[in-house]
Amino acid sequence: THSCARSPHEGPGVTIREAAAPAAGPGPRDGRPATDSDAASPGAERPRRDRRGKLLRAVARNRKATAGAILLLGFILLSAVPQWIAPYNPASIQFPPGLGSTGRHWLGTTTLGQDVWSQLVWGTRQTLIIALAVGGLSTVVSVIVGVSSAYLGGIADGVLSLFTDVILVIPTFPLIILIAAYVKNSGMLTIVVVLGALGWSYGARQLRSQVLSLRNRDFLEAARVRGERRLYIIVFEILPTMTSLIMATFLGGALYAVLTAAGLQFVGLGDPNAQSWGTMLYWAQNADALQIGMPLWAIMPGVCVALLGAAFALLNYAFDEISNPALRPVRRMGGRSLAPATLIDPVQGSAT
């Protein structure tokens, strides 16, 4: 219960409230004294949910994100159920070789009599798996190195920054070619590990710069005053404010993987028996498909690589625009230029 008493020295209507002592009970999970932030912790999730909702709405309103998502969903569908879309076994040699486009064979057949359309559909799965796996692996390494380097500072920052700079200045593609040539007929796992291990440095640099700008913000100072551990602050306080930048890092890694993996397989540094667009290009080039009148065999895998790369690139540009208002196109109305659309700051929750 609460009792109110009026001070003889205070004006009318001013009261002194005396609160009863709170009942004893268990404290927070880490044993430290209860604070106002602990009592308000259930409501602390609401701003995070609001940030996620605003991010999703911003993606839905972005034309580049919409176009990229439609392309990506189409390729995901091809890779998920190729047996429902491809009419034949891609490795089956049962048709006349060198056929052109017909009703039964939309893209013709190879010099061995394999259906090109079936190979294209089944090749989507490995290409997409490589892209997503490399994007995920490189993003995880980028987040660990970049965020830890900026937040920890000191010797840790110096060592991790030096390591990042070394990887960043190494000519990556020639090094990848050397590694792939050393591992004969390198399969999908080897390609994923090599590309993921060498493709994280640029994203780590971006994430480090962003964390350096956040390190002394009020909400992080409040978390440190509450006695939160460093791991908790990084995972639950810093990373949620960098969702769009982390997504852009992932999409950039996936785009890099699509193009690099197709290039490695095209020059014969992948598994020649695998079903992927890169190996299709490899066999079409070996058979001189363009010279012998079989252009669809050589062109369509390249078109698919370009479309999948465009899907990741459009999504990447969209997330860049969402996270950086300066990159957004300026809207025009009645011949007058308008300022870019407002963006809700993911850290402070205020419009910019």
Side-chain angles (χ1 to χ4, degrees):
T1 59
H2 300 276
S3 61
C4 298
R6 189 180 305 276
S7 172
H9 301 289
E10 294 175 338
V14 180
T15 61
I16 301 175
R17 185 176 299 275
E18 296 176 356
R29 63 183 181 275
D30 55 1
R32 56 185 169 79
T35 62
D36 293 339
S37 61
D38 296 321
S41 59
E45 292 296 327
R46 186 175 302 172
R48 294 175 185 173
R49 290 197 296 268
D50 292 343
R51 287 197 297 266
R52 288 194 291 266
K54 290 167 185 172
L55 177 62
L56 292 176
R57 287 193 295 271
V59 171
R61 290 194 298 263
N62 192 290
R63 294 181 180 178
K64 293 178 182 178
T66 303
I70 292 173
L71 284 173
L72 184 59
L73 287 176
F75 286 117
I76 290 175
L77 178 63
L78 289 179
S79 65
V81 287
Q83 66 275 11
W84 295 354
I85 301 173
Y88 309 109
N89 185 336
S92 177
I93 304 175
Q94 56 178 331
F95 305 109
L99 290 179
S101 178
T102 63
R104 293 186 60 192
H105 307 285
W106 294 352
L107 302 180
T109 61
T110 67
T111 53
L112 297 178
Q114 300 160 317
D115 184 64
V116 175
W117 167 247
S118 298
Q119 287 190 340
L120 197 68
V121 172
W122 280 93
T124 307
R125 174 175 293 179
Q126 184 179 116
T127 304
L128 193 59
I129 289 174
I130 290 175
L132 298 179
V134 172
L137 178 60
S138 61
T139 301
V140 169
V141 179
S142 297
V143 168
I144 292 174
V145 175
V147 175
S148 301
S149 173
Y151 185 75
L152 297 178
I155 298 177
D157 184 23
V159 173
L160 292 175
S161 296
L162 177 62
F163 184 53
T164 303
D165 292 339
V166 170
I167 299 296
L168 194 61
V169 300
I170 290 178
T172 306
F173 193 70
L175 179 60
I176 291 173
I177 291 178
L178 289 176
I179 296 174
Y182 180 76
V183 182
K184 299 296 184 181
N185 295 334
S186 52
M188 182 174 64
L189 180 61
T190 303
I191 292 177
V192 168
V193 172
V194 171
L195 295 184
L198 297 176
W200 56 267
S201 55
Y202 182 72
R205 265 293 173 202
Q206 288 183 313
L207 293 170
R208 178 182 178 274
S209 300
Q210 181 68 15
V211 175
L212 285 175
S213 68
L214 299 176
R215 189 168 58 179
N216 296 321
R217 301 289 282 268
D218 292 341
F219 73 104
L220 294 183
E221 292 292 345
R224 284 191 283 266
V225 169
R226 294 198 309 266
E228 302 291 359
R229 298 180 179 179
R230 288 182 175 180
L231 181 61
Y232 176 89
I233 294 174
I234 291 174
V235 174
F236 295 102
E237 299 290 347
I238 295 179
L239 293 186
T241 68
M242 302 172 62
T243 304
S244 57
L245 183 57
I246 292 173
M247 282 298 302
T249 302
F250 168 77
L251 294 168
L255 171 61
Y256 153 80
V258 169
L259 302 178
T260 307
L264 289 176
Q265 292 170 336
F266 173 69
V267 298
L269 297 177
D271 183 2
N273 298 317
Q275 289 295 335
S276 70
W277 297 337
T279 55
M280 287 184 67
L281 291 170
Y282 169 75
W283 288 115
Q285 187 266 342
N286 280 355
D288 296 327
L290 292 176
Q291 285 75 19
I292 62 177
M294 302 171 64
L296 293 178
W297 184 18
I299 292 174
M300 292 311 298
V303 170
C304 288
V305 169
L307 288 176
L308 182 57
F312 286 123
L314 287 171
L315 289 170
N316 192 10
Y317 296 151
F319 275 98
D320 280 343
E321 292 177 1
I322 291 168
S323 60
N324 187 356
L327 298 178
R328 298 183 198 172
V330 177
R331 299 177 182 176
R332 293 183 177 273
M333 182 179 296
R336 294 182 303 171
S337 297
L338 300 179
T342 58
L343 174 70
I344 301 300
D345 188 343
V347 177
Q348 301 292 348
S350 59
T352 58

